[in-house]
């Protein structure tokens, strides 16, 4: 699997999309993406996009996936927020606000 360079997290490790954690959790549960799709009512394609980091978790998906996998919605949303914040920090690393000039 090829991964893009990710910004470092607190421990110096590259922060990964929470879909990877879900992929590993599904393996532990011996649950397929197809089974998760059926349990949540999402398409197999949508689950695949989550697992591969092509789409983000939202509150609805976090709740459905948590209920289907025995986790909590906060787990998925906290991972998504941390990932999204690191992505934003990286993309805005050199951004500076425009100078305010009094009228």
């Amino acid at each position: 699997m090829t991964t893009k360079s990710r910004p470092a997290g607190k421990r110096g490790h590259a922060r990964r999309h929470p879909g990877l954690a879900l992929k590993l959790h599904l393996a532990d549960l011996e649950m397929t993406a197809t089974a998760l799709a059926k349990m949540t009512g999402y398409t197999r394609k949508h689950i695949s996009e989550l697992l591969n980091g092509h789409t983000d978790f939202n509150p609805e998906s976090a709740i459905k996936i948590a209920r289907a996998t025995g986790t909590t919605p906060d787990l998925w949303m906290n991972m998504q927020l941390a990932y999204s914040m690191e992505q934003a920090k990286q993309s805005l690393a050199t951004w500076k606000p425009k100078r305010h000039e009094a009228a």
Side-chain angles (χ1 to χ4, degrees):
M1 173 167 68
T2 306
T3 58
K4 295 179 187 175
S5 176
R6 303 268 190 238
K10 284 185 181 178
R11 297 183 192 130
H13 296 105
R15 190 156 314 268
R16 308 249 184 215
H17 189 276
L20 177 62
L22 178 57
K23 190 181 288 190
L24 296 172
H25 186 59
L26 290 180
D28 288 344
L29 295 174
E30 298 182 358
M31 183 186 295
T32 65
T34 301
L36 182 60
K38 288 178 183 177
M39 292 174 76
T40 58
Y42 289 124
T43 64
R44 170 69 176 81
K45 181 180 178 189
H46 183 74
I47 296 298
S48 179
E49 288 172 347
L50 273 172
L51 295 174
N52 293 307
H54 300 299
T55 195
D56 291 339
F57 285 77
N58 60 46
E60 178 185 301
S61 62
I63 291 168
K64 287 183 174 185
I65 288 168
R67 288 181 183 171
T69 61
T71 58
T72 66
D74 290 343
L75 171 72
W76 303 111
M77 290 308 299
N78 288 339
M79 282 194 284
Q80 183 63 59
L81 178 59
Y83 174 80
S84 297
M85 284 298 295
E86 286 299 323
Q87 293 294 301
K89 286 176 185 178
Q90 183 180 27
S91 69
L92 295 172
T94 59
W95 179 87
K96 292 184 180 171
K98 293 181 182 178
R99 203 171 144 85
H100 174 71
E101 296 184 25

